[in-house]
Amino acid sequence: MSTTADRSRRLGAKGSRTRQRILDAAEAVFVELGYHDASIVKITEAAGVAQGTFYIYFPGKRELFEELVDDLNRRVRQAMTTASESGGSRLAAERAGFAAYFAFVAEHPGLYRIMRQAEFVAPHQLRQHYDRIVSGYTKRLRAAMDSGEIPPGEPELMAWALMGLGEMVGMRWVLWLDNEPVPDNVLADTASVVARILGVQE
């Protein structure tokens, strides 16, 4: 079976833009109303497309929700990876990645509510969301260990710890403070905690 991404690629650039518009509208509607109260009618109205157009891209509401989880996952991973590539050291890369994550959360505060709904609506997508982040994280940490940049340890455990740190700090200092940027002192203190997890000097 072809995926929605496959279908949008066949429809070209215009189709991809329409599909993304539906996903963006779905994000807003699911955040405001929750999965069960959201409807395809409300989502298509928010996206400014006909209901018939919706079904070109998505078989139904559940499939749209699952794709939204995957879409948010792709975008947050890309933001973090792009930012971390500018860092010279592993610690610098972590700092840049954390800053990018907090910026993404400020722009997409619904990320938290969508993922919490996914626990009940699409648990496989939720597990995949975290597994994808941890998988890349683990590889980069293992490479840093192999090169001697950071002390030996269990890279997967470290990846989960770092991801948990970012998620909780983002919830406390971005989501709960009306999507304001993380204060500079909190960002600096987060970097200090990251250094301790990595076992390196700041």
Side-chain angles (χ1 to χ4, degrees):
M1 178 181 288
S2 63
T3 65
T4 53
D6 292 334
R7 287 195 293 273
S8 68
R9 278 194 292 271
R10 290 201 301 271
L11 289 168
K14 182 178 179 181
S16 295
R17 288 193 298 271
T18 301
R19 176 177 172 276
Q20 189 61 53
R21 194 159 74 244
I22 295 170
L23 284 167
D24 291 341
E27 180 183 350
V29 173
F30 285 133
V31 167
E32 180 184 359
L33 301 177
Y35 176 82
H36 295 292
D37 289 334
S39 67
I40 291 173
V41 171
K42 289 184 174 68
I43 291 166
T44 53
E45 287 177 351
V49 301
Q51 288 188 57
T53 301
F54 173 93
Y55 290 105
I56 294 173
Y57 300 94
F58 304 99
K61 184 173 77 166
R62 184 188 179 97
E63 290 82 3
L64 169 62
F65 183 86
E66 291 174 351
E67 180 57 30
L68 175 61
V69 172
D70 287 347
D71 181 64
L72 287 168
N73 175 266
R74 282 191 295 269
R75 291 161 72 185
V76 71
R77 283 189 295 120
Q78 181 176 359
M80 293 170 65
T81 300
T82 300
S84 64
E85 286 174 349
S86 65
S89 67
R90 185 66 248 163
L91 180 57
E94 292 293 341
R95 285 172 173 161
F98 269 72
Y101 174 75
F102 297 144
F104 187 91
V105 170
E107 187 177 349
H108 298 275
L111 176 70
Y112 283 89
R113 189 168 185 194
I114 293 295
M115 294 307 167
R116 276 155 179 71
Q117 292 179 60
E119 182 179 358
F120 305 99
V121 177
H124 174 73
Q125 262 68 30
L126 179 66
R127 171 77 180 266
Q128 191 168 258
H129 166 70
Y130 288 117
D131 283 347
R132 283 172 171 169
I133 294 173
V134 166
S135 176
Y137 226 150
T138 300
K139 290 176 182 176
R140 291 189 290 273
L141 290 169
R142 183 175 288 115
M145 291 175 188
D146 291 344
S147 69
E149 186 177 359
I150 63 176
E154 176 43 63
E156 184 179 355
L157 177 60
M158 192 180 293
W160 280 100
L162 290 166
M163 183 174 63
L165 172 65
E167 185 166 327
M168 292 298 102
V169 171
M171 184 167 67
R172 167 63 179 84
W173 277 279
V174 180
L175 188 67
W176 291 357
L177 293 180
D178 297 324
N179 311 322
E180 291 293 324
V182 171
D184 290 341
N185 67 304
V186 173
L187 193 57
D189 289 342
T190 300
S192 295
V193 175
V194 170
R196 293 187 198 123
I197 294 173
L198 295 178
V200 298
Q201 295 291 323
E202 289 188 73

